[in-house]
Amino acid sequence: MSQMPQLSACPSCEWPLESGDRFCGACGYDLSAVPARPDDSPTIAMNGAPPGGPWPEVPHPPAEVHLPADLQGTESGEHALPPSGPVVGSPVSPVSGVRFDRSPEPDEYVLQAPDPRVAAGPPTPSEGTKVCVACRAGRVDDDGYCENCGHAQPRERDHMEQEAGPIAAVSDRGLRHHRNEDAFTLGTSVLPDGSPATFAVVCDGVSSATRPDDASLAASRAAADALLAALPQGTHPQQAMHEAIVSASRAVNSLAAEPATAREHQPHQNAPACTIVGSIVTPSLLVVGWVGDSRVYWVPTDRSSPPARLTEDDSWAAQMVAAGLMNEAEAYADERAHAITGWLGADAYELDPHTASFKPDRPGVVVVCTDGLWNYAEAADEMAEAVPADAAARPLHTARVLVGHALDGGGHDNVTVAVVPFPIPPQGAGSA
C-alpha cells in the first residue's frame, strides 16, 4: 500500500491541508496522486519554484482537476488561482460550502462563513420615508405594514397624551384590542365674568357597531365645539353640557348616512355608536354629563372625606340594581353586566342625556374615564387608592399612572382617562 505524503498545502491550489486529508477541500485535488518520494517520477515545480523547492513536487502531467467555474483558467488549460488580497464575491469551496478570502499573507487562506444579513438586508429607505418601528429598515406602506418584515405599525390613536392648561388626558389601545376605539377632547374657556372654566370629554366606541372609532372621535369633537361656543356666552355649565351631548349625538347619527367602503360594509352590524361622559369645572362648580357606562369619580386631595362616583351607568347591571332584583356584586358578576342600555347612535332607543352639578367644599381631582379603567378600580375607594396623592399638581403624570394601572391589571379593553383638578389651579401653576 502506498504511503500518503505529508503535505501542508495543496500542490494544485495551495489550500492549507490538515493531516490525513485525502482530497483538497478547495479544488478537490486527489492528494494520493502525489508520490511519497518525489524522485519516483518525472517532476515539475509548482508556481515556478525550482525542483526541490518549498512546494511538494507532483507527477507530470498533473492529474485532472475539477475547479469551480470562477476558478477555471484559460483555454490553454492553465488554472488561475485566486488573486491576492480580499476577494470580492469570494468563490465557494465545493466541499465545505463556505467562502474563502485571502488574508494579508498572500499564501494563506482563511474560512469565513457567509453573513445572511449582508445578502438579505433591505435597501436603506430614503430620507423622509416612514421606517418600521420593529426592524428599523423597511418602508411602511399605505396600509401601515412594513414592506420588509410585515410588522403592523402603531396607529396614531394607539397611545395619545395631551395637556391643556391645568388638565390632562391619556388614551391607550390596551393589550387585547387591535385598535383604540376611545377618544377624548380637553378644553379651557372663560366665562362672561372672566373666571376660567375647564372641561374634558371622553367617548368609548361600541365595538359591536360599525366604525366605533369614528363615532367616538366625532362625538368628542362635536361636544367640545359646543362647549367652547356656549360657555363664553353665559350658558349655565349644566345646560351647556346637555347641549354638548345633543350635538355629539347628531354628529354620530350623521355617520350612519355616510356611504361605507367595501371593507366596512357589514349589513349585520349596527350603526356607528359610542358612549360619552364629560365634566366641566369652574371656580365654584363641578358639572358632569353622560350617556352610557363611562364614568366620573371625585377624589378629594386630602383624603379626609370619602371619594365618590358621580355617574350612574346606563347598563344592564345598573338596571338590575335599581330595580332591586340584584345587589351590585351579583349584577356586575353576571355576563350581561356590561350590556349598555344607553348610547349615542342612529339606532339608539332614545337620547336621554344625564347631567348633574356639585359644589365640592374642598380641593380634589375629577377622574373622567372609560370602563377600560374602572373595570380595574370599580369602587370609588379603589379608584382613590390608584390616584397619586399629588394628582392635582401633576394631572398628566396621574393620567399615565391610571392607564398603567389598567394595563398592569390585564389591559383587556381600550383605556382612556382625563384628570381635571378642582378648583382650577391659578394660572401658571403647571404640572411637573
Side-chain angles (χ1 to χ4, degrees):
M1 180 178 295
S2 62
Q3 180 182 0
M4 286 291 295
Q6 298 300 313
L7 304 177
S8 61
C10 175
S12 176
C13 69
E14 305 179 14
W15 182 268
L17 301 176
E18 295 183 4
S19 176
D21 282 350
R22 169 79 181 190
F23 297 94
C24 174
C27 67
Y29 186 82
D30 186 355
L31 300 176
S32 65
V34 182
R37 295 183 299 278
D39 57 351
D40 285 350
S41 61
T43 62
I44 63 171
M46 295 299 296
N47 291 342
W55 298 107
E57 297 171 348
V58 297
H60 180 72
E64 182 179 1
V65 179
H66 298 283
L67 295 179
D70 54 355
L71 286 183
Q72 293 178 3
T74 64
E75 294 181 359
S76 64
E78 297 175 352
H79 295 288
L81 293 176
S84 61
V87 179
V88 179
S90 304
V92 178
S93 163
V95 177
S96 63
V98 298
R99 299 186 306 175
F100 59 89
D101 292 341
R102 279 284 195 178
S103 70
E105 295 297 330
D107 291 332
E108 296 181 4
Y109 288 92
V110 293
L111 288 174
Q112 180 179 346
D115 187 349
R117 296 171 299 178
V118 175
T124 302
S126 59
E127 185 177 355
T129 301
K130 187 176 181 181
V131 178
C132 174
V133 300
C135 69
R136 305 304 301 171
R139 189 184 76 87
V140 178
D141 63 21
D142 294 338
D143 292 329
Y145 292 87
C146 175
E147 294 181 346
N148 175 46
C149 67
H151 189 89
Q153 305 302 295
R155 297 177 177 90
E156 181 181 357
R157 289 175 63 178
D158 281 357
H159 185 87
M160 300 178 291
E161 298 185 356
Q162 184 185 355
E163 279 186 301
I167 59 179
V170 175
S171 181
D172 193 272
R173 184 183 68 183
L175 305 180
R176 302 296 182 90
H177 284 247
H178 73 284
R179 66 179 175 185
N180 189 359
E181 296 170 357
D182 290 356
F184 68 83
T185 54
L186 306 176
T188 59
S189 184
V190 178
L191 303 180
D193 62 1
S195 59
T198 60
F199 65 83
V201 177
V202 170
C203 297
D204 184 356
V206 177
S207 296
S208 61
T210 305
R211 300 164 60 194
D213 51 335
D214 291 341
S216 62
L217 185 61
S220 63
R221 288 177 173 175
D225 290 343
L227 291 174
L228 289 172
L231 291 174
Q233 300 300 319
T235 305
H236 189 278
Q238 188 168 351
Q239 179 62 30
M241 178 61 75
H242 181 278
E243 294 175 0
I245 294 175
V246 173
S247 295
S249 177
R250 294 194 188 109
V252 177
N253 290 350
S254 66
L255 295 178
E258 296 179 0
T261 64
R263 183 177 61 180
E264 295 169 335
H265 182 59
Q266 301 180 35
H268 66 280
Q269 285 192 316
N270 300 321
C274 68
T275 67
I276 187 171
V277 64
S279 176
I280 303 172
V281 168
T282 72
S284 60
L285 188 66
L286 165 59
V287 172
V288 298
W290 74 98
V291 173
D293 62 350
S294 294
R295 294 180 175 180
V296 177
Y297 290 85
W298 163 253
V299 179
T301 299
D302 58 9
R303 313 297 168 95
S304 60
S305 61
R309 173 156 62 95
L310 306 182
T311 58
E312 293 292 337
D313 299 342
D314 289 321
S315 68
W316 180 91
Q319 283 190 343
M320 294 299 102
V321 173
L325 301 177
M326 291 182 176
N327 62 39
E328 191 165 300
E330 294 171 337
Y332 281 99
D334 194 283
E335 62 181 8
R336 297 165 290 182
H338 292 281
I340 57 175
T341 57
W343 63 88
L344 305 183
D347 57 358
Y349 299 128
E350 182 180 359
L351 179 62
D352 183 20
H354 312 291
T355 61
S357 296
F358 305 89
K359 291 187 175 182
D361 60 356
R362 66 200 65 207
V365 292
V366 181
V367 177
V368 185
C369 64
T370 61
D371 60 346
L373 172 60
W374 66 252
N375 277 331
Y376 300 98
E378 185 173 336
D381 289 340
E382 295 174 326
M383 184 64 71
E385 185 177 349
V387 173
D390 59 352
R394 305 175 67 193
L396 180 58
H397 169 74
T398 299
R400 289 169 175 164
V401 168
L402 293 175
V403 168
H405 178 78
L407 298 180
D408 290 343
H412 286 73
D413 199 356
N414 307 145
V415 52
T416 301
V417 55
V419 178
V420 186
F422 178 92
I424 301 172
Q427 188 173 4
S431 61

